[in-house]
Amino acid sequence: MRRTTVKLSDDLDARLRHEASRRGMTIAELTREAIEAHLGGRRRRLLAAGAGRSGRDDISERIEEILREEASR
């Protein structure tokens, strides 16, 4: 992996730090995710998309947790 320096306005830096903190991610992780999304990088497969067929009855209560787990894979 290569290191890259990016200059950001104070406002954009604050927004980036806030969003990374809100999601429980590092700034580097969020930056890579945003660049991949913008450039059409790898598509994330959300394995939770088929959750309705799991036979479990707690999916709607745990959806945020499940999506976080799937996104970190």
Side-chain angles (χ1 to χ4, degrees):
M1 198 169 287
R2 297 188 63 133
R3 179 179 294 257
T4 300
T5 302
V6 178
K7 293 184 179 186
L8 303 174
S9 67
D10 289 342
D11 177 60
L12 186 55
D13 180 66
R15 290 169 40 205
L16 178 65
R17 289 175 186 281
H18 174 77
E19 185 63 15
S21 174
R22 186 184 75 78
R23 291 189 190 189
M25 303 171 77
T26 66
I27 292 169
E29 289 171 326
L30 181 57
T31 301
R32 283 191 296 271
E33 181 181 284
I35 291 170
E36 284 182 357
H38 182 75
L39 297 179
R42 292 185 307 224
R43 296 186 75 178
R44 287 187 356 196
R45 232 177 101 225
L46 294 176
L47 300 178
R53 290 175 265 153
S54 71
R56 298 186 60 156
D57 60 354
D58 63 344
I59 299 298
S60 64
E61 297 166 4
R62 296 184 50 239
I63 192 64
E64 292 299 324
E65 175 189 343
I66 292 167
L67 290 173
R68 257 192 315 276
E69 290 171 3
E70 295 298 331
S72 68
R73 290 183 185 181

